[in-house]
Amino acid sequence: MSLLNPKLILEYISIPRVLFWAMMLALVWPFIHVRWRRRTIVTAAVADGPVPPPLPPLVSAEFLNPSTILRSLILFNLLFAAQSILDGIYLWGHVALPDNLTYAAYAHRGAYPLIATALLAAAFVLVAMRPGGAAEKSKVIRPLVYLWVGQNVLLVASSILRLDLYVDI
């Protein structure tokens, strides 16, 4: 019961981290926010004219349509590019790690996201690029998938280097 003290909980909240994630949400939100139906425009109706049919939905009912896949791939590639840049700076560029981070912690922090991203990449590619699907024929989506898979391979190579540095230390 002593751990439920609100003062203790507030000690674990980092204002810079909250601001960082709020900024990330603001940057990512336009990619994930989708209007599900078109807005109807109210106009003065002519009494003698026929009533127009309702507008079709803007987004199809299919969960992974090509526009959703495209936005997801853009986000995934940007996220993986940021991680690859950080790995390039700290691993391949031989820049010293921050003071409070050891190579053991750095190796452990890289292992679990690698497993998650590998499973995510495999599942996403299998579902999104299914044979006969609309995304399979897209000339924009296919190169983004190749780029994403390539970045996964780069993350695996970075993870191997992290482990090698950890073992050497």
Side-chain angles (χ1 to χ4, degrees):
M1 292 303 287
S2 65
L3 294 177
L4 295 176
N5 186 354
K7 289 181 181 178
L8 291 176
I9 294 171
L10 290 176
E11 289 178 10
Y12 290 105
I13 296 176
S14 168
I15 299 299
R17 183 172 284 202
V18 170
L19 291 174
F20 170 77
W21 285 112
M23 185 178 70
M24 288 297 110
L25 178 64
L27 290 173
V28 169
W29 185 255
F31 288 102
I32 61 175
H33 177 70
V34 177
R35 285 184 295 167
W36 292 101
R37 300 215 179 264
R38 290 182 193 238
R39 292 184 183 158
T40 56
I41 300 172
V42 178
T43 58
V46 178
D48 297 336
V51 177
L55 293 172
L58 182 61
V59 178
S60 68
E62 184 181 349
F63 180 64
L64 285 176
N65 59 21
S67 65
T68 305
I69 293 170
L70 180 64
R71 284 193 306 269
S72 299
L73 284 171
I74 290 170
L75 282 175
F76 292 155
N77 278 311
L78 289 174
L79 179 67
F80 282 31
Q83 180 62 42
S84 297
I85 289 169
L86 289 174
D87 282 346
I89 291 169
Y90 287 111
L91 293 175
W92 309 104
H94 302 292
V95 174
L97 291 175
D99 293 335
N100 58 348
L101 188 63
T102 65
Y103 278 104
Y106 192 53
H108 286 284
R109 285 185 184 180
Y112 300 117
L114 177 66
I115 293 168
T117 57
L119 292 173
L120 177 67
F124 187 80
V125 169
L126 287 174
V127 171
M129 300 301 291
R130 66 186 176 276
E136 181 189 29
K137 300 174 185 99
S138 174
K139 294 183 180 186
V140 177
I141 292 176
R142 186 172 288 276
L144 286 174
V145 169
Y146 290 147
L147 177 64
W148 189 37
V149 171
Q151 288 193 56
N152 272 289
V153 171
L154 182 62
L155 285 176
V156 170
S158 295
S159 179
I160 291 170
L161 183 59
R162 284 179 198 219
L163 186 59
D164 186 47
L165 288 172
Y166 171 57
V167 170
D168 286 345
I169 296 296

